[in-house]
Amino acid sequence: MGLSQTSLLTSGSFQETSGDEGGGDTEMKQQETAPVPALPKKTKQPKECFLIQPKETKEESTKTRKWKKKKITDILAKSEPKPGTPEDLQKLMKDYYSSNRSVIELEELNLPDSCFLKANDLTHSLSSYLKEICPKWVKLRKNHTEKKSVLMLILCSSAVRALELIRSMTAFKGDSKVMKLFAKHIKVQKQVKLLEKRAVHLGVGTPGRIKELVKQGGLDLNPLKFLVFDWNWRDQKLKRMMDIPEIRKEVFELLEMGICSLCQSESLKLGLF
């Protein structure tokens, strides 16, 4: 084979190769320049108005919380009130002391059933209830001459409530000497002096102040004959006195200061108004 033929063959094969490459470039260019089909646009679904929730402002969230609290209060207000029973007090005492007292100590703090008077069935006023549980009150108060003591104590949750109770017992107390035993605007020393000065028949107040008077020796519990709990009354938040942790604690501490032993000896009677 001559040189000319060889060169022809070589040039031919070169042309074929270059032709193939050129074709490949053309195909790639066509692929690159080919228009990309547009994606179909998503049709916006119309949002219904009740699904759109606007962001709550601080004022709105506060109003919502207040409304919820009101609703709970309304439910409690509509529920039928149940009068307190001696079992309620006994159970509260057991729950309060069981975690940190021995069996022997719990027996010493036990309130026997015999020490409880008839509980208020929610049909009584304070005067009518006191007349029922203490029909011989006039005779008792005439014979009471001991100072630094009272014949009857009425425990309640606040000074304001104590004043309400004093006003509502007018028909029962008659000529009895009544003393306010709470901390609001009255110092302990002044109350101690008043108890030392004259015989007092009725004391109405909060367990915290009465406990303090006993601690300071201003009030002797031994002559006490009746201890009445303002059990069923509810405040603006619908809480009873024993529903408030601070008051409940003070009541139990007061009961430990000789009241439980007086109940066990049957010289003291308990009432739930």
Side-chain angles (χ1 to χ4, degrees), residues 112-116 222 224-226 258-270:
D113 296 336
S114 59
C115 76
F116 286 95
N222 288 317
L224 185 65
K225 298 300 177 188
F226 300 94
I259 288 177
C260 288
S261 58
L262 289 171
C263 290
Q264 289 169 359
S265 65
E266 297 188 356
S267 65
L268 176 63
K269 299 295 181 182
L270 304 180

Side-chain angles (χ1 to χ4, degrees), residues 54 110 115 124 189 191 248 264:
N110 181 48
C115 76
H124 284 284
Q189 291 77 14
Q191 290 171 332
R248 184 168 63 244
Q264 289 169 359

